[in-house]
Amino acid sequence: MWAFHTPQPTQPPSLFNPPRTPPKLPSSSLTLNPSISNSTPNHNQLIQSLCKQGDLKQAFKLLSREPNPSQRTYEVLILSCADQNSLSLAQSLHSHISENGFDQDPFLVTKLISMYAALDSLDDARKVFDKTRKRTIFVWNALFRALTLAGFGEEVLGLYRKMNRIGLPSDRFTYTYVLKACVASECMVSLLNKGKEIHAHILRHGLEGYVHIMTTLVDMYARFGCVAHASFVFEKMPVRNVVSWSAMMACYAKNGKPFEALELFREMMIETQDSAPNSVTMVSVLQACAALSALEQGKLVHAYILRRGLDSVLPVISALITMYARCGELELGQRIFDRMEKRDVVSWNSLISSYGLHGYGKKAMQIFQEMIHQGVSPSPITFVSVLGACSHAGLVEEGKKLFDSMRKEHGIHPSVEHYACMVDLLGRANRLEEAAKIIDEMRIEPGAKVWGSLLGSCRIHCNVELAERASHRLFQLEPHSAGNYVLLADIYAEAEMWDDVKRVRKLLETRSLQKVAGRSWIEVRRKMYSFVSVDEPNPQIELIQSLLIKLAAEMKEKGYSPQTKVVLYDLDESEKERILLGHSEKLAVAFGLINTKKGETIRITKNLRLCEDCHSFTKFISMFTNKEILVRDVNRFHHFQNGVCSCGDYW
């Protein structure tokens, strides 16, 4: 370890230069360095020991008496300032380092930048960087890391370009930080292109063998929703670790490919003998089970978590609560929550959103109030969860009060997500003009989520005028989203404006946009089955079709009337009814009736909103066959039993 010797300048009494009275030190500490009794004592060892004991102020007093602080002493002091979260001491130490001429030491510069980043003082970190004359790659990396963690991705990429222009070569850590910078702020297309450029740099420099770089690359593509790119990188990785597998699983789970996430988990369990899945892995697996309502597989995963001793990890427990709730077992989720010894805001959010998903808005509100009473501060996500719960239960006034309390009582400024919840809340309740007024009075740009909430509400209540206004903005904000065109066409069809339906369908064709196909999943004996249409290969498809035709005929005699208005084609009624029987959720229900035992609940997941006819059809089926049927669509849970749905026909 190096020690730098610089003459000590004469200073007036200060924190580092108090009156020359011996510092009061613990008697046990005095034995650590016998040299303090010499005429020219060396206090470096004792300063470091005091830092490790947490006595930072005493260490600073002793520093003022040390004429030759070592690099190691400064390093330990820097780390202690960060550990004790003291910005004032950090800035005083920085001044001492500068006065002693060590502010150009690249090693200490990196430590100072990291210290200021830990203390949330990025301006100070930038000043350290700007004043450093000789910037090594480690200095650049330290600032890249600090800015990336704080969300200043574009600034990092600008500095990265500057570093490349001066010809300083990147190392493997540089690539990790700049890839993370691409997703540190909003995931814009321009930053995705920058990420692709960095990917090319990595390949040109032959760094694809570094597992942490490639794992970060997988995560970067995943954040942009580029599943195919992420999968390609993952498949080409010469070496994978548990973090790599987890990153790819998370990519699938968060981008609508839960089947692939579960399949990858099985592959990981077979291939990796030396590295067991960690808590991050299990969160992704539970998310995949939740997405598919795969209760039996979720229970197996739960058992594995218990065997591995991961049931004390808070993110895992929160994911378990969500998994059981999204599989229809709300009571099991509540039981896990009740047994938790320690709860964080994420745990509370999981429980609140679970009750909201099932339509129990008042219970979600009650849990929210209990969380506040127990001294847990709500997060922005908490309000998204509880406002969503109010929306699904039609609790308009309660939701409005909650929204107002965000800023007044909790100091949280509403984001686009919160405004989208309010528009949805009012829109579902057919208070569309009020919802539109909220959009007009927003202080931030509404964005696609807000306009999407308004368009969805217009679909429920067939408000053509507001739908046209919302869709006009959405076509500008999301020109490649076919769903917005389909929703507008639905509204025109319900209003019997067939020329406008044809016009919107023509727009879809000319822009080469394809409607997202309705897909439903069902779990039978721990195996998942997927249905899209009658044309999809299935060994039981003929049996399913004949059962649906038979049930439809018998239910008509009991009062079932097919809601053919949901078919967007100007066809005769019999043809519309035939199309309705091909909806994926009906196929899944019939498959469940054929393959489940008496008294066994049928659990189905739908990737889109449940249509009015499938909702009515399933209510009749539950009564006609005396079956309990759970259907989770993109918005909420529908619990069908004895001809009644838990949503009260409000969804």
Side-chain angles (χ1 to χ4, degrees):
M1 192 63 65
W2 301 314
F4 297 90
H5 302 274
T6 305
Q8 183 78 2
T10 302
Q11 300 178 40
S14 66
L15 179 63
F16 293 110
N17 189 29
R20 292 291 181 174
T21 55
K24 187 177 179 181
L25 300 174
S27 58
S28 58
S29 301
L30 291 173
T31 59
L32 293 173
N33 191 350
S35 65
I36 63 168
S37 61
N38 296 339
S39 57
T40 55
N42 185 318
H43 299 314
N44 284 291
Q45 194 76 30
L46 187 52
I47 292 169
Q48 295 168 30
S49 298
L50 287 167
C51 287
K52 290 173 184 176
Q53 294 168 20
D55 194 351
L56 187 55
K57 288 188 178 179
Q58 193 67 28
F60 268 54
K61 287 181 181 178
L62 196 58
L63 178 65
S64 65
R65 299 173 61 85
E66 173 53 53
N68 300 308
S70 69
Q71 186 192 56
R72 173 60 181 166
T73 295
Y74 277 136
E75 180 191 5
V76 174
L77 284 164
I78 289 169
L79 294 173
S80 296
C81 288
D83 289 341
Q84 295 198 18
N85 199 30
S86 177
L87 180 59
S88 59
L89 287 179
Q91 290 171 333
S92 295
L93 177 62
H94 185 190
S95 297
H96 193 279
I97 290 171
S98 299
E99 288 162 3
N100 280 273
F102 294 151
D103 58 325
Q104 295 302 314
D105 173 12
F107 176 79
L108 290 179
V109 166
T110 62
K111 297 297 179 184
L112 283 169
I113 292 172
S114 299
M115 174 190 71
Y116 281 128
L119 296 171
D120 295 325
S121 183
L122 284 181
D123 285 341
D124 283 317
R126 291 185 183 99
K127 287 175 185 175
V128 173
F129 179 83
D130 292 339
K131 289 179 181 178
T132 304
R133 293 187 293 275
K134 185 179 179 182
R135 298 169 186 159
T136 65
I137 189 60
F138 305 108
V139 173
W140 285 89
N141 286 347
L143 188 64
F144 288 163
R145 181 180 181 276
L147 294 173
T148 298
L149 290 174
F152 293 93
E154 291 184 83
E155 184 178 348
V156 171
L157 295 173
L159 287 167
Y160 177 62
R161 285 191 292 271
K162 182 178 178 181
M163 190 186 87
N164 285 333
R165 282 198 299 270
I166 65 175
L168 183 65
S170 302
D171 67 4
R172 63 185 189 275
F173 298 106
T174 312
Y175 288 117
T176 302
Y177 298 140
V178 294
L179 283 172
K180 288 180 178 178
C182 294
V183 291
S185 47
E186 292 185 11
C187 295
M188 298 182 291
V189 175
S190 60
L191 297 186
L192 171 60
N193 292 333
K194 189 63 186 177
K196 289 179 178 179
E197 289 178 24
I198 296 165
H199 185 183
H201 291 178
I202 292 164
L203 296 178
R204 278 202 300 271
H205 290 89
L207 297 173
E208 59 268 33
Y210 287 101
V211 65
H212 67 280
I213 293 179
M214 303 312 284
T215 300
T216 308
L217 195 56
V218 168
D219 185 63
M220 185 272 292
Y221 281 127
R223 299 285 187 90
F224 282 105
C226 300
V227 181
H229 287 74
S231 179
F232 178 81
V233 173
F234 180 79
E235 292 299 328
K236 294 291 183 182
M237 288 178 69
V239 181
R240 299 170 187 159
N241 58 19
V242 65
V243 182
S244 313
W245 288 93
S246 300
M248 194 63 227
M249 259 178 266
C251 174
Y252 284 137
K254 293 174 181 176
N255 286 285
K257 293 188 176 291
F259 265 119
E260 290 81 352
L262 291 179
E263 187 58 39
L264 192 65
F265 178 62
R266 282 190 284 270
E267 186 182 335
M268 175 187 177
M269 296 298 284
I270 294 169
E271 286 192 18
T272 58
Q273 303 295 328
D274 54 340
S275 58
N278 59 21
S279 59
V280 177
T281 317
M282 302 321 299
V283 167
S284 294
V285 176
L286 287 169
Q287 288 173 343
C289 292
L292 294 167
S293 293
L295 178 62
E296 296 306 314
Q297 293 193 50
K299 286 180 176 178
L300 289 175
V301 174
H302 189 180
Y304 179 81
I305 287 167
L306 293 172
R307 288 199 303 273
R308 291 269 293 115
L310 297 171
D311 54 316
S312 61
V313 181
L314 283 175
V316 174
I317 304 173
S318 299
L320 273 169
I321 294 168
T322 302
M323 184 274 291
Y324 278 119
R326 292 178 76 84
C327 290
E329 292 290 346
L330 189 54
E331 290 182 6
L332 283 175
Q334 178 73 64
R335 201 178 304 167
I336 290 171
F337 181 85
D338 292 339
R339 291 176 180 174
M340 293 177 70
E341 295 180 4
K342 183 182 178 182
R343 297 166 184 154
D344 61 359
V345 68
V346 179
S347 312
W348 287 96
N349 290 348
S350 296
L351 193 66
I352 292 168
S353 63
S354 295
Y355 277 98
L357 184 67
H358 283 263
Y360 300 118
K362 289 184 178 179
K363 179 65 175 177
M365 288 276 293
Q366 181 186 331
I367 296 166
F368 173 77
Q369 296 299 338
E370 184 184 347
M371 181 187 82
I372 301 296
H373 181 70
Q374 292 196 16
V376 179
S377 298
S379 68
I381 294 174
T382 308
F383 282 99
V384 171
S385 299
V386 73
L387 287 171
C390 290
S391 181
H392 292 313
L395 303 175
V396 178
E397 295 307 317
E398 292 87 340
K400 289 173 70 175
K401 288 178 182 176
L402 273 170
F403 185 76
D404 290 339
S405 76
M406 285 180 62
R407 188 186 291 107
K408 292 177 182 176
E409 297 177 23
H410 303 285
I412 297 174
H413 292 275
S415 68
V416 168
E417 286 78 10
H418 300 114
Y419 281 106
C421 287
M422 285 303 297
V423 171
D424 187 67
L425 172 73
L426 295 164
R428 286 179 188 276
N430 202 15
R431 293 164 67 163
L432 288 165
E433 294 300 330
E434 198 173 340
K437 186 180 178 183
I438 280 187
I439 297 175
D440 293 336
E441 293 177 353
M442 283 177 64
R443 295 181 180 181
I444 55 176
E445 184 63 33
K449 288 184 180 179
V450 174
W451 289 111
S453 292
L454 183 62
L455 184 60
S457 298
C458 292
R459 163 71 180 83
I460 296 170
H461 301 291
C462 195
N463 188 310
V464 175
E465 182 182 348
L466 277 178
E468 289 177 334
R469 180 187 170 193
S471 60
H472 175 72
R473 289 294 294 124
L474 284 166
F475 294 164
Q476 295 174 330
L477 294 167
E478 298 179 325
H480 303 297
S481 175
N484 298 323
Y485 295 86
V486 173
L487 271 177
L488 182 60
D490 282 349
I491 295 164
Y492 283 141
E494 189 167 347
E496 297 186 352
M497 300 167 65
W498 298 111
D499 288 340
D500 289 297
V501 172
K502 290 176 183 176
R503 177 175 59 81
V504 176
R505 288 178 59 199
K506 187 68 176 177
L507 281 173
L508 276 168
E509 292 174 12
T510 55
R511 298 179 184 183
S512 301
L513 301 176
Q514 285 191 333
K515 175 185 175 183
V516 176
R519 182 179 289 273
S520 296
W521 295 271
I522 181 171
E523 183 185 35
V524 176
R525 290 184 286 277
R526 294 180 180 172
K527 187 175 179 182
M528 299 303 303
Y529 298 87
S530 171
F531 294 90
V532 177
S533 67
V534 292
D535 299 322
E536 199 172 36
N538 187 293
Q540 294 184 322
I541 195 64
E542 291 183 6
L543 188 59
I544 290 170
Q545 284 180 285
S546 61
L547 176 61
L548 285 172
I549 292 169
K550 178 175 178 291
L551 286 171
E554 292 177 357
M555 288 192 306
K556 279 182 182 178
E557 297 176 5
K558 301 291 182 179
Y560 165 65
S561 177
Q563 299 194 35
T564 54
K565 66 177 184 178
V566 303
V567 180
L568 295 183
Y569 300 96
D570 194 6
L571 304 168
D572 60 56
E573 289 299 301
S574 61
E575 186 63 19
K576 286 185 177 182
E577 288 183 24
R578 187 191 68 79
I579 291 172
L580 286 175
L581 284 180
H583 281 196
S584 65
E585 49 266 61
K586 292 191 180 75
L587 300 175
V589 167
F591 183 83
L593 292 171
I594 294 167
N595 293 284
T596 57
K597 299 174 185 177
K598 185 179 180 180
E600 188 177 349
T601 302
I602 294 174
R603 303 172 192 277
I604 295 167
T605 303
K606 175 77 186 292
N607 67 332
L608 302 174
R609 182 181 183 271
L610 202 62
C611 82
E612 288 87 340
D613 183 67
C614 286
H615 193 267
S616 174
F617 185 89
T618 311
K619 282 200 297 185
F620 271 94
I621 286 282
S622 69
M623 178 177 63
F624 206 71
T625 62
N626 195 27
K627 268 282 193 182
E628 182 180 5
I629 303 170
L630 293 178
V631 180
R632 196 189 81 225
D633 70 5
V634 71
N635 290 325
R636 58 165 296 155
F637 245 103
H638 300 268
H639 188 156
F640 298 97
Q641 198 168 22
N642 300 321
V644 178
C645 179
S646 60
C647 76
D649 299 339
Y650 187 89
W651 84 99

